Amino acid sequence: VAYDTMWGSTAAMAKAAGEGLARTGVEAVVMPLHGSHRSDVATALLGAGALLVGSPTINNGMFPTVADLLTYLKGLKPRNLSGAAFGSYGWSGEAVGEIDEYLAGMKVERAGEGLKVKYVPRPEALGECAALGELVGRTLSERCGA
């Protein structure tokens, strides 16, 4: 689960998604981009089967560190990944759609619609984030025949 956050909302979503993944028996690694280099994320993906990416929307787009990561990963052409996009926003919410476009370009099998939450995620929204993580975990398990 790679993400960045401005005010903590996307971080809370990432944590909930990671918890959802873990509930399915999938080992979840939550990597905040403000503390993880893009090459660290790429290295973690070498043995991973899923990629969840989260970003707040800023200036009608995704956070710059998330765009940097996705540009880098797209060039590396990772294979056989399940995944999803998620993010928070205040006004417009375009980041999730942009992440989805990158994931499609990378041929990541998306487990569901990208999840957008306006402002600070309430408990029910965090439940949706956990459910998204569970969905990705189940998709990964089905794909791996577990």
Side-chain angles (χ1 to χ4, degrees), residues 32-119:
L33 295 177
H34 63 270
S36 305
H37 192 271
R38 66 180 174 252
S39 61
D40 296 330
V41 177
T43 299
L45 272 179
L46 290 174
L51 173 63
L52 285 82
V53 181
S55 175
T57 295
I58 182 171
N59 297 330
N60 301 321
M62 69 179 107
F63 207 66
T65 54
V66 177
D68 175 71
L69 171 70
L70 290 172
T71 300
Y72 183 69
L73 293 178
K74 186 174 180 182
L76 294 175
K77 298 179 173 55
R79 300 280 179 230
N80 302 317
L81 294 172
S82 297
F86 63 92
S88 59
Y89 67 101
W91 292 272
S92 55
E94 291 92 348
V96 170
E98 289 181 358
I99 294 168
D100 262 334
E101 288 178 23
Y102 267 92
L103 294 178
M106 292 167 34
K107 297 183 174 55
V108 172
E109 177 189 353
R110 283 174 320 289
E113 294 290 318
L115 179 60
K116 293 193 280 190
V117 173
K118 191 167 186 175
Y119 302 128

Side-chain angles (χ1 to χ4, degrees), residues 8-32:
S9 295
T10 307
M13 296 174 73
K15 181 181 176 197
E19 290 168 356
L21 277 166
R23 282 198 284 250
T24 67
V26 172
E27 179 184 347
V29 178
V30 180
M31 301 183 80

